[in-house]
Amino acid sequence: MRVFKFGGASVKDAEGIRNLARIVARETDDLAVVVSAMGKTTNALERVVNALWLREQEQVEREWALIEEYHRGVADELGVTLDLRFPETQATMDSYDELYDQVVSWGELMSTRLVSAYLTKVGIRNEWLDMTRLLITDATFRAAQVDFPATEDNLLAHFAYRPGAEYANRARVRVLQGFIGGTADGRRTTLGREGSDYTAALVAAALNAESVTIWKDVPGILTADPRKDKSATLIPELSYEDAERLAASGAQIIHRKTIFPLERKQIPLYVKPFLQPDAPGSVIRNTKLKLSVPVNWGK
Ligand code: ASP
Ligand code: MG
């Protein structure tokens, strides 16, 4: 089984989600598909939280209407129906961080519902999973720490396949949210901004996946930010150590916490261009290769 992760830029519009479905349809292995909130939804939801916190009701409604319109528009274009209501939450106005996680997690819950509904529509049988019940964390809202043993147990039980047995829950493709989790008593939490890569690594490690692929809007891991430096070149292969160093130096390639769970289980991580699935991209894996090209990601 393998893990695919699609970031916000990859699912920002109907064409992005169609492309995701095409990439998923090519696979014959079992897949865990980890999805971020669509486009800039997380930023927009942060504005909702701020307005809620300041009790600026009009601002809340204005921001919320835009988010709703965006999601409804994409759902309409894909020909699927989507219930945009907030799932039940236990949000209170006692803690900003707790409120934040209850509201912001909506982005991933919706993007995954949309992706799951569209996959079903095009004939890709799949199961939608709610990570707020599977990825167990402490109650450090906005920077939740993962309870690895509990999460691993949950994921293993959920993905379990008993050969020979007719397993009702078995679907080839599972769609799940990046970035979000939940406390043992069911309160939603988030892992910190850009945390979906980390989710993909945790899921892969728990399930002993063959590999993780992060699908991005860049050709792979580059030596510099291509928007600022036209001479940026692709790094085809790098070690876990070099990847960690690169991530720590501010390179916007993958979330820092992503490497460790993969290194521990020696699971390779591919970074591939979303629009050219056959391009080689980059791979982070156990290699003696040392990064020899100069890297300049600022910071
Ligand atoms: N949607 C979240 C964010 O924008 C998580 C992620 O994209 O990885 O930070
Ligand atoms: Mg995002």
Side-chain angles (χ1 to χ4, degrees):
M1 84 68 71
R2 303 204 276 152
V3 179
F4 279 2
K5 183 256 171 175
F6 295 88
S10 308
V11 292
K12 69 176 193 300
D13 51 23
E15 190 40 38
I17 293 174
R18 286 192 200 105
N19 191 48
L20 176 153
R22 284 193 289 269
I23 289 175
V24 167
R26 295 153 43 105
E27 289 307 310
T28 47
D29 277 352
D30 284 358
L31 276 186
V33 180
V34 177
V35 184
S36 298
M38 286 165 51
K40 303 260 178 271
T41 301
T42 306
N43 295 346
L45 288 165
E46 284 184 342
R47 291 195 290 275
V48 171
V49 178
N50 289 337
L52 274 171
W53 189 249
L54 299 170
R55 298 177 202 277
E56 287 170 350
Q57 194 52 34
E58 261 174 48
Q59 182 72 5
V60 171
E61 276 160 29
R62 213 171 19 244
E63 294 287 354
W64 181 245
L66 290 173
I67 295 170
E68 246 187 5
E69 200 179 288
Y70 172 38
H71 284 74
R72 190 172 297 119
V74 176
D76 285 352
E77 214 181 317
L78 292 173
V80 297
T81 45
L82 190 64
D83 183 353
L84 292 166
R85 278 172 306 178
F86 258 92
E88 226 174 278
T89 59
Q90 306 165 15
T92 66
M93 294 296 277
D94 296 341
S95 148
Y96 178 90
D97 289 352
E98 186 169 354
L99 176 72
Y100 178 103
D101 283 1
Q102 310 320 303
V103 173
V104 164
S105 52
W106 185 92
E108 269 72 11
L109 290 168
M110 279 312 131
S111 65
T112 50
R113 285 232 170 88
L114 192 50
V115 163
S116 173
Y118 182 68
L119 290 178
T120 303
K121 184 185 147 101
V122 297
I124 301 172
R125 196 158 70 94
N126 70 94
E127 185 185 3
W128 178 87
L129 302 183
D130 183 352
M131 291 303 268
T132 59
R133 291 177 195 285
L134 296 176
L135 196 145
I136 305 302
T137 71
D138 68 5
T140 315
F141 297 102
R142 295 184 70 184
Q145 299 298 310
V146 178
D147 179 340
F148 296 105
T151 300
E152 196 170 279
D153 283 354
N154 283 345
L155 289 170
L156 282 171
H158 212 91
F159 278 71
Y161 174 57
R162 290 175 232 114
E166 204 45 63
Y167 194 61
N169 220 6
R170 182 170 156 76
R172 193 179 74 82
V173 177
R174 271 94 169 184
V175 179
L176 45 110
Q177 307 81 35
F179 175 57
I180 72 174
T183 61
D185 63 355
R187 288 177 292 167
R188 293 196 174 83
T189 56
T190 65
L191 306 178
R193 287 301 308 264
E194 307 303 329
S196 293
D197 292 346
Y198 181 40
T199 302
L202 290 171
V203 170
L207 299 171
N208 293 305
E210 220 171 279
S211 64
V212 176
T213 305
I214 297 184
W215 296 95
K216 284 183 84 92
D217 56 354
V218 290
I221 298 174
L222 302 170
T223 52
D225 186 341
R227 287 164 301 191
K228 294 184 197 144
D229 185 345
K230 291 277 164 282
S231 67
T233 55
L234 182 78
I235 308 170
E237 181 179 358
L238 67 167
S239 66
Y240 295 111
E241 296 77 29
D242 280 340
E244 245 157 43
R245 224 168 294 140
L246 209 58
S249 77
Q252 294 140 12
I253 40 161
I254 31 173
H255 191 278
R256 282 193 66 173
K257 285 171 136 182
T258 311
I259 305 298
F260 175 69
L262 298 178
E263 184 174 15
R264 196 164 51 92
K265 291 272 179 102
Q266 299 285 297
I267 297 170
L269 170 68
Y270 297 89
V271 179
K272 284 182 178 254
F274 182 62
L275 293 175
Q276 286 148 294
D278 290 321
S282 302
V283 59
I284 298 167
R285 65 175 159 217
N286 189 9
T287 169
K288 294 261 175 299
L289 221 67
K290 284 263 167 291
L291 200 56
S292 57
V293 283
V295 169
N296 176 21
W297 273 87
K299 268 203 197 169

